[in-house]
Amino acid sequence: MKEEVAIFVYGAEQICASCVGMPSSKETFEWLDAAITRKYPNQPFTIQYIDIFNPPEEKKHQIFASRVIEEDLFYPVVTIGEEIVGEGNPKLKDIYKEMEKYGYEEVSIK
C-alpha cells in the first residue's frame, strides 16, 4: 500500500430531499466503514463522518460542508483526497476504484 487513505462522509441527520427512501448519511457512513474494512483487511484507512450543518473547526471541512449546502449536492457526499467519489447513494465500486489508485488491494479470504 502506498498511502493511507482518509475518507470523509459529509452528510446530515435529515435525509436530503432528493434522497428520500435511501439510508441516512450516518447509516451510509457505518455501511461504508464495514464494507471497506472487509474488502481491505489489515490495510489501514481512516473514515470520518462530517455533519454539514455542524462541521469541525478544521477549515477544509467547513469549506467543503458549505459547498455541499450551497451547490445542493446530494448527501452524503463521500470524498477521498480532493475527489468526490460518491454522492447521494455512493457506489462501492467507485470508492474501491479510487482506493486502488492509492495502492489498496483486495484480500481473498479462503
Side-chain angles (χ1 to χ4, degrees), residues 40-102:
Y40 304 112
N42 302 315
Q43 297 175 69
F45 65 93
T46 59
I47 184 166
Q48 182 178 354
Y49 175 77
I50 308 284
D51 186 320
I52 60 173
F53 296 110
N54 190 21
E57 290 187 20
E58 196 172 340
K59 195 70 172 167
K60 74 176 189 174
H61 295 306
Q62 291 178 346
I63 291 169
F64 194 82
S66 292
R67 179 179 167 200
V68 172
I69 295 165
E70 291 167 9
E71 295 180 16
D72 289 327
L73 299 176
F74 299 125
Y75 50 85
V77 177
V78 180
T79 66
I80 295 176
E82 302 299 317
E83 294 294 318
I84 294 175
V85 294
E87 186 181 343
N89 187 16
K91 307 286 184 265
L92 281 173
K93 180 180 172 185
D94 297 336
I95 294 166
Y96 294 158
K97 184 177 177 182
E98 188 67 21
M99 290 186 73
E100 288 166 6
K101 289 179 185 177
Y102 289 85

